């Protein structure tokens, strides 16, 4: 993604945060919906070092890593590799991918406190559209985590994080109803799109 698109994505996200809507990135791609699309982002560290530095490391993920979560949807499928201290998460989509019910998978369990439903959290995240496998937003690409109140974001994102422990990495496949039922044009999200997030929980208060 170019610098202009990164700036636009950041601007749109900040504007969306003010209205308590999460993840309205501006980046999407027109991929063949009948073929697999692989989406990767830069590294998100779940270590204390990453949390204290306030960054999402930008090293490339390990292309040979074994998926920690594979899920067959109502259509298509996904394979997710969670972030580590040295490698980014990746989401491989057999498109079009969709689910009728949101599903959460804990990839690694952190040793921090449990995240409350209304906590203020700091996370690194990758958002992927199941329809075509495109990345619509990624804090890893910006190299910075995002802070927000958990009770002010889309339902699927809240379901993924609430009840987890700080330091955990999680993934979630989100229904359109738990994401953007009416779509989010700025992010290339259409009504009915299922979304996938790979998330690293850095802190909660």
């Amino acid at each position: 993604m170019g610098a202009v698109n990164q700036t636009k994505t950041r601007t749109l996200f900040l504007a969306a945060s003010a209205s308590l809507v999460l993840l309205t990135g501006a980046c999407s791609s027109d991929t063949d919906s009948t073929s697999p699309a692989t989406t990767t982002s830069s590294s998100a560290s779940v270590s204390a070092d990453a949390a204290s530095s306030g960054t999402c490391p930008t090293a490339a993920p390990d292309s040979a890593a074994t998926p920690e979560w594979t899920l067959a949807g109502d259509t298509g499928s996904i394979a997710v590799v969670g972030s580590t201290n040295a490698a980014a998460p990746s989401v491989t989509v057999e498109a079009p991918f969709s689910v009728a019910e949101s599903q959460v998978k804990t990839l690694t369990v952190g040793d921090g406190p449990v995240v409350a439903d209304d906590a203020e959290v700091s996370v690194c995240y990758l958002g992927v559209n199941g329809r075509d496998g495109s990345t619509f937003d990624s804090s890893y690409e910006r190299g910075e985590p995002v802070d927000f109140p958990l009770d002010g974001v889309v339902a699927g994102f809240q379901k993924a994080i609430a009840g987890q422990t700080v330091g955990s990495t999680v993934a979630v496949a989100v229904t359109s109803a738990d994401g953007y039922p009416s779509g989010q044009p700025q992010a290339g999200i259409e009504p009915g799109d299922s979304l996938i997030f790979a998330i690293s929980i850095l802190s909660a208060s």
Side-chain angles (χ1 to χ4, degrees):
M1 202 184 316
V4 172
N5 280 345
Q6 287 183 359
T7 301
K8 187 175 180 184
T9 299
R10 184 177 175 83
T11 301
L12 286 169
F13 178 84
L14 293 173
S17 296
S19 60
L20 300 182
V21 178
L22 179 68
L23 307 177
T24 55
C27 297
S28 63
S29 62
D30 296 323
T31 59
D32 181 354
S33 62
T34 62
S35 62
T38 300
T39 302
T40 60
S41 79
S42 316
S43 175
S45 174
V46 297
S47 69
D49 290 344
S52 63
S53 67
T55 63
C56 299
T58 56
D62 181 0
S63 60
T66 302
E68 296 169 78
W69 187 34
T70 56
L71 176 66
D74 294 279
T75 62
S77 63
I78 58 172
V80 181
V81 176
S83 62
T84 67
N85 289 339
S90 68
V91 177
T92 302
V93 179
E94 180 73 35
F97 170 79
S98 65
V99 287
E101 182 177 350
S102 294
Q103 299 184 50
V104 178
K105 175 70 173 181
T106 303
L107 304 177
T108 59
V109 179
D111 58 6
V114 174
V115 180
D117 292 349
D118 59 352
E120 179 87 19
V121 299
S122 180
V123 304
C124 296
Y125 66 89
L126 166 67
V128 177
N129 193 321
R131 173 171 45 82
D132 59 9
S134 62
T135 297
F136 62 86
D137 201 6
S138 174
S139 62
Y140 305 112
E141 291 180 356
R142 296 187 292 274
E144 298 178 355
V146 177
D147 302 335
F148 54 84
L150 196 53
D151 59 0
V153 297
V154 295
F157 206 85
Q158 182 182 31
K159 289 178 180 180
I161 299 175
Q164 301 284 347
T165 53
V166 171
S168 296
T169 60
V170 298
V172 59
V174 178
T175 64
S176 176
D178 280 346
Y180 298 99
S182 301
Q184 181 51 257
Q186 297 98 323
I189 299 171
E190 298 177 0
D193 285 352
S194 289
L195 309 175
I196 308 100
F197 296 103
I199 308 164
S200 173
I201 306 170
L202 302 184
S203 68
S205 59

